[in-house]
Amino acid sequence: MTVEVRLVNDICAMGWVDRLNIAVWRSNGVAEAHTYYREMKAGISRFGWGIGHLAVIEPGTPLPPPEIRKLIVRVFNEYPGAVSAVSVACEGQGFFASAVRSVATGLMMLASTPVTFRLSGSVVDSAAFLSKHMTAGPAPLDAALVVSAVQELRHRMRVNVARSA
């Protein structure tokens, strides 16, 4: 199985691996946050309950403003319990990583129902966590496939940026 790519631009690359929505963020964009919201709703419609989300926050990505934060948490509040697990992988360090962890924790606290959640310093760790906590699939989520999907999304972002330069 490969990643179903849904969005690629210089702000975000997004796609699905089975029941897992993956978004690689390099900046903020309201249009991209709306795409995330629509994709999560589409995933709930397509798979029912038991979907997951992996947000990969690239080093130096600005923190999302309140408008985007509201869009991110909106799907959790509109469909309580539909999302089985969420992980945020922040591969940056220092103040940046601390700020991302703080925002991500705050967002998950705004969800109307608890969601199994993990902050991580690597995509590999997030993939392992999600492979243990994703529910309702025919087989456990393959962590190696998740890591490959993130690599593919990052590659597509690099190609997109090179084309637009």
Side-chain angles (χ1 to χ4, degrees):
M1 176 180 289
T2 59
V3 61
E4 290 178 45
V5 178
R6 307 302 252 177
L7 170 71
V8 177
N9 63 28
D10 58 338
I11 293 172
C12 180
M14 193 177 308
W16 287 90
V17 171
D18 190 24
R19 297 171 171 273
L20 179 67
N21 175 269
I22 301 170
V24 178
W25 294 93
R26 290 198 175 145
S27 190
N28 290 306
V30 174
E32 291 77 9
H34 279 287
T35 299
Y36 158 79
Y37 171 73
R38 285 190 307 273
E39 284 297 316
M40 291 296 284
K41 280 180 48 173
I44 293 165
S45 293
R46 179 176 171 189
F47 298 112
W49 304 94
I51 68 168
H53 177 63
L54 169 58
V56 180
I57 312 301
E58 299 284 81
T61 300
L63 297 176
E67 178 183 9
I68 291 175
R69 293 178 197 194
K70 288 177 187 172
L71 278 169
I72 291 169
V73 78
R74 184 174 168 190
V75 75
F76 303 115
N77 292 333
E78 288 180 2
Y79 300 93
V83 180
S84 291
V86 172
S87 187
V88 174
C90 174
E91 295 180 317
Q93 297 181 13
F95 178 76
F96 168 74
S98 177
V100 168
R101 286 191 295 271
S102 177
V103 168
T105 301
L107 284 171
M108 296 312 297
M109 290 175 68
L110 291 174
S112 58
T113 57
V115 176
T116 302
F117 174 65
R118 177 160 185 159
L119 291 161
S120 170
S122 75
V123 170
V124 171
D125 183 56
S126 284
F129 168 79
L130 290 164
S131 72
K132 292 176 185 167
H133 291 90
M134 293 289 296
T135 60
L141 183 66
D142 182 350
L145 187 60
V146 172
V147 173
S148 291
V150 170
Q151 291 170 340
E152 175 66 19
L153 290 169
R154 284 174 165 162
H155 170 74
R156 289 187 183 218
M157 286 180 88
R158 283 191 302 273
V159 169
N160 185 65
V161 169
R163 276 192 211 142
S164 63

